[in-house]
Amino acid sequence: MGNQRGTCAEDVMVAVWIAVAAMLLATVTLAAVMIVNAFRKRIIAEEIFLSTLPAGFDGFRILFITDIHRRRLPRALLAPLAGKVDAVFLGGDLTEKGNAPARLAENMKLAASLAPAYAVHGNHDYKANTALADNIVRGSGIRLLMNENVFIEHNSQRLVLTGMDFPKQGGKKGYAPLPAAPSRGTPYCRIILVHDPLWLSGQEAVAADLILAGHTHGGQVVLPFGLQMHADPFYRTYNAGMYSIPRNDGSGAEASLLISRGFGTAHLPLRWRSPAEMHVLTLRKESNI
């Protein structure tokens, strides 16, 4: 009997140690997968059809990158895009507190070498040495937009790019008013570049054809049962990907909204079910027929 009890106890201990080892292996494997996803270097190519797009902009290509944080932009992947994209849009969180200025300078120099580049602030840009970071961004030749419009010209036609600055004090109510756009008497297409799509929840109307945003990281680590790191209910609907939203400007039209999962990570370099991404967006003239 004693030997049998001893054998049973040993069997239980072996089973426990096997279970513990299996749990440890699963944890290590999961962590490895999350790290790999956090450092993926993928470009998503997609077409965006806009009815108001000037015919001269049909085929206009935008490299859209947001939420770089402290990652190094991949030169081997991006350098071949020089001359193949017409503009570079940077959607904020270009850096973060503790990131080396040399890393930011290297990233901005690469982005500016590909095509005319435009950027907006994100929340982490205001947690860093903002004055130094802004000097680096502007010194690289990138146009930093702070609640302003700029015309982009292509094939003797133009569209309007509006850059909305992230409020220094944070919060969705701290944004400046949307800059007035040109009169509808002069047909135009308008793109809004804003870091946090939550900006939309504070707008009664959005006079835009395309809105590009980031900030959400697509949840970064997407938990089961619909749990997410963002508390505001807005993000349960608008988290990552392409959406159509009503403009509410009396036109009856809708705007396209793209929320990128971003290239970098916030806090820990981990991603689960939301891999890092950049975008090459080809604008297409949508037929009204």
Side-chain angles (χ1 to χ4, degrees):
M1 292 290 294
N3 289 338
Q4 290 180 349
R5 289 178 181 174
T7 300
C8 289
E10 290 174 359
D11 290 343
V12 170
M13 288 300 298
V14 169
V16 169
W17 280 111
I18 290 175
V20 170
M23 291 177 62
L24 288 174
L25 179 60
T27 301
V28 170
T29 301
L30 179 60
V33 170
M34 288 195 290
I35 291 172
V36 168
N37 281 333
F39 288 96
R40 287 186 66 176
K41 302 173 183 177
R42 65 173 184 159
I43 295 178
I44 298 175
E46 49 198 318
E47 293 184 323
I48 297 179
F49 289 84
L50 303 173
S51 60
T52 58
L53 187 72
F57 276 85
D58 188 65
F60 188 86
R61 302 181 79 198
I62 300 168
L63 173 62
F64 176 45
I65 307 174
T66 186
D67 298 276
I68 300 171
H69 289 272
R70 60 178 64 218
R71 284 196 71 181
R72 175 180 282 111
L73 292 179
R75 178 172 296 275
L77 185 62
L78 295 180
L81 294 178
K84 297 181 180 178
V85 295
D86 301 291
V88 177
F89 292 173
L90 303 175
D93 282 1
L94 311 176
T95 188
E96 63 179 34
K97 184 178 180 179
N99 186 35
R103 173 66 58 82
L104 173 63
E106 179 184 349
N107 285 340
M108 296 300 99
K109 182 178 179 181
L110 174 59
S113 72
L114 305 177
Y118 307 85
V120 294
H121 284 128
N123 54 306
H124 281 276
D125 296 314
Y126 279 122
K127 295 176 183 178
N129 185 335
T130 308
L132 174 60
D134 286 358
N135 285 337
I136 291 173
V137 172
R138 292 190 175 108
S140 70
I142 294 174
R143 177 78 179 267
L144 184 60
L145 300 176
M146 300 177 68
N147 306 313
E148 58 188 303
N149 298 320
V150 62
F151 282 107
I152 296 178
E153 297 189 359
H154 186 71
N155 290 333
S156 300
Q157 294 184 305
R158 62 183 186 174
L159 57 74
V160 178
L161 172 64
T162 302
M164 294 304 300
D165 193 48
F166 190 89
K168 294 181 182 180
Q169 68 273 28
K172 59 186 176 182
K173 296 182 179 180
Y175 283 94
L178 182 66
S183 169
R184 274 294 179 184
T186 303
Y188 72 94
C189 178
R190 187 188 209 181
I191 299 174
I192 293 179
L193 183 62
V194 63
H195 177 64
D196 187 351
L198 187 61
W199 168 79
L200 286 165
S201 66
Q203 308 301 309
E204 293 183 2
V206 180
D209 302 279
L210 173 63
I211 302 156
L212 302 176
H215 182 67
T216 68
H217 295 239
Q220 189 164 311
V221 176
V222 180
L223 302 173
F225 310 113
L227 299 175
Q228 58 178 336
M229 64 179 185
H230 293 290
D232 196 290
F234 175 89
Y235 298 111
R236 296 194 186 103
T237 301
Y238 303 104
N239 186 265
M242 185 69 73
Y243 304 88
S244 292
I245 60 173
R247 293 173 49 137
N248 294 327
D249 61 351
S251 67
E254 292 188 332
S256 296
L257 166 65
L258 173 62
I259 304 176
S260 173
R261 292 178 173 84
F263 186 65
T265 54
H267 310 300
L268 296 175
L270 300 173
R271 282 182 178 268
W272 176 248
R273 297 171 60 198
S274 183
E277 63 187 23
M278 298 177 284
H279 310 261
V280 170
L281 309 174
T282 301
L283 303 185
R284 292 295 183 190
K285 174 71 175 176
E286 185 175 56
S287 173
N288 293 319
I289 298 177

